[in-house]
Amino acid sequence: MSRARALWERVPAPVVDLVVVAAAAVDVGVVSMGEHTPLGVALAAVGCAALAFRRRFPLGVFLLTLPIALMQDVAVAVLVALFTLAERSRNRPLLAVCVALAAVASSTPWPLAEVDRTMTLVFFVYGLATSAAPVLCGQLLQAQRDLARRLAEIEEAREHERALHAQAVLARERAQLAREMHDVVSHQVSLIAVRAGALQVAAKDADAEEAARTIRALSVTTLDELRTMVTLLRASGGHATELTPQPTLADLRKLVESSGTQAELTGELPPAVGTPAQRALYRTVQEALTNVRKHAPGATARVELWQDGDGIGVTVTNSAPTRPSLSLPGSQQGLVGLRERADILHGTLDAAPTAEGGYRVRLRIPLSAS
């Protein structure tokens, strides 16, 4: 049925109008069988011809077809005019009046001298039902079109929502990628730069010293480029998203042992600490130890895990440096990223120098958020 309707909708409107006018004219001619007066023929001709303008003037065309309803019980012209009016009008009281007019016209005896009240009432009820049918079909078609339009609007809104969601996901992934790049890549590159700097100072062979200098220069350049990429990626980011694999507290001891700094890990945390909290604790220790290597050569560090009733946390404290620090670029995003992680978990991050010349980083996360 939908296929037939689609084919019908492809027919040009003038062709449809011509077919409707012809059908109405044939209907009047066949039913009348030559019984109309010249006045009746003229009115019927006007009513049939008016159907060509039913789309622009549906109410006027209906009124012009009413005389045809006086000449025959069921007139195609009247039914088509009623259908077109119902298809285009939302005024239901007007449609009810038009149905009543068509029923009255079709049930009125013509000529008026021949009146049979019983049959007139029967014809009126019959005409009322007949006239209501095209009106109901027209209203149904109007409702179908409204529903199709509404569905198209809903689909357009959904497409817009999907586009916004995709943009939001992309922004969060960019922010997470920036954070992971800083936390992971700079951790390794800065260690290479520190080791290369130490090798450059201790090397006695000219070739070895030159190789160490080259490695350190490349590491510094890599850190500079990484800082630029992190800044660009963070420009349109949001909260972090899940990436795998993710570090946990089980990886903390290995991190401390491979940090390139003389560090000690103490304390324990409950086994029920959530994954986001474990990742925040791990990244805090990683960033703090990286900063110790970069800015406090020769310093020792102490990593302490603790619980204080309604919260858990970690404190990383390093002593004063024993050697001058090497000139390494800083991305200025490490502590910012750690504070963002703490804010997401409703925690706090404090970072400040100690009275002994060292530095202390302290992260606290509520147990309710872990």
Side-chain angles (χ1 to χ4, degrees):
M1 183 175 180
S2 59
R3 184 177 180 182
R5 180 183 172 185
L7 292 175
W8 174 256
E9 290 178 348
R10 294 180 182 178
V11 180
V15 175
V16 175
D17 293 337
L18 181 61
V19 171
V20 169
V21 171
V26 171
D27 176 69
V28 172
V30 170
V31 173
S32 307
M33 299 294 291
E35 298 176 0
H36 288 324
T37 63
L39 178 60
V41 172
L43 292 176
V46 171
C48 292
L51 292 175
F53 305 95
R54 61 196 173 89
R55 291 185 176 86
R56 296 184 61 183
F57 312 103
L59 180 59
V61 170
F62 166 73
L63 295 176
L64 289 176
T65 59
L66 276 180
I68 302 177
L70 290 171
M71 304 173 195
Q72 59 190 75
D73 295 334
V74 180
V76 171
V78 178
L79 297 181
V80 171
L82 276 173
F83 174 82
T84 305
L85 179 61
E87 182 189 15
R88 282 164 165 70
S89 175
R90 300 182 183 275
N91 190 340
R92 295 194 174 176
L94 174 63
L95 294 177
V97 171
C98 292
V99 169
L101 287 176
V104 169
S106 64
S107 61
T108 300
W110 190 263
L112 295 175
E114 301 176 3
V115 177
D116 185 344
R117 294 183 178 179
T118 302
M119 291 305 299
T120 299
L121 180 60
V122 172
F123 285 140
F124 173 77
V125 175
Y126 177 77
L128 199 64
T130 304
S131 301
V135 171
L136 294 176
C137 291
Q139 288 284 282
L140 179 62
L141 181 59
Q142 185 185 97
Q144 184 180 14
R145 289 176 176 171
D146 291 343
L147 179 60
R149 189 181 305 111
R150 180 58 179 164
L151 289 176
E153 293 174 355
I154 292 175
E155 184 62 26
E156 183 179 355
R158 286 181 176 176
E159 288 293 335
H160 183 64
E161 290 177 359
R162 281 193 285 266
L164 292 178
H165 178 69
Q167 293 176 2
V169 170
L170 178 61
R172 290 196 298 268
E173 288 178 348
R174 290 178 68 179
Q176 179 67 5
L177 178 59
R179 186 172 293 113
E180 295 299 326
M181 284 179 62
H182 180 272
D183 290 343
V184 178
V185 180
S186 67
H187 172 77
Q188 303 296 334
V189 176
S190 61
L191 179 59
I192 294 173
V194 171
R195 293 292 179 87
L199 179 61
Q200 179 184 345
V201 174
K204 301 186 181 303
D205 182 70
D207 293 337
E209 182 180 356
E210 181 62 26
R213 182 183 297 107
T214 302
I215 294 173
R216 180 177 176 277
L218 291 175
S219 300
V220 170
T221 302
T222 302
L223 286 173
D224 278 330
E225 293 175 351
L226 176 63
R227 174 171 56 86
T228 302
M229 287 189 293
V230 167
T231 302
L232 291 176
L233 288 172
R234 290 174 63 90
S236 61
H239 294 314
T241 56
E242 290 293 331
L243 293 178
T244 55
Q246 293 294 333
T248 64
L249 292 179
D251 304 312
L252 199 56
R253 185 168 299 279
K254 181 179 179 181
L255 172 67
V256 173
E257 293 174 351
S258 62
S259 64
T261 301
Q262 185 179 350
E264 177 187 5
L265 176 63
T266 61
E268 292 183 358
L269 289 178
V273 176
T275 301
Q278 291 190 44
R279 186 165 63 250
L281 294 167
Y282 182 95
R283 295 306 187 193
T284 300
V285 175
Q286 185 183 59
E287 177 65 21
L289 294 179
T290 299
N291 288 336
V292 172
R293 290 195 309 271
K294 291 168 59 176
H295 306 298
T300 59
R302 185 176 69 257
V303 180
E304 180 185 1
L305 301 173
W306 46 266
Q307 180 177 357
D308 64 354
D310 61 345
I312 59 174
V314 63
T315 302
V316 182
T317 307
N318 65 272
S319 62
T322 59
R323 301 190 305 270
S325 61
L326 297 173
S327 177
L328 293 175
S331 66
Q332 304 300 321
Q333 300 293 340
L335 292 179
V336 173
L338 294 181
R339 286 196 173 91
E340 288 180 357
R341 292 179 184 272
D343 290 340
I344 292 173
L345 297 174
H346 307 289
T348 58
L349 179 79
D350 299 317
T354 63
E356 294 78 16
Y359 204 83
R360 177 183 294 112
V361 177
R362 182 180 185 272
L363 171 68
R364 184 184 184 277
I365 301 173
L367 280 173
S368 58
S370 63

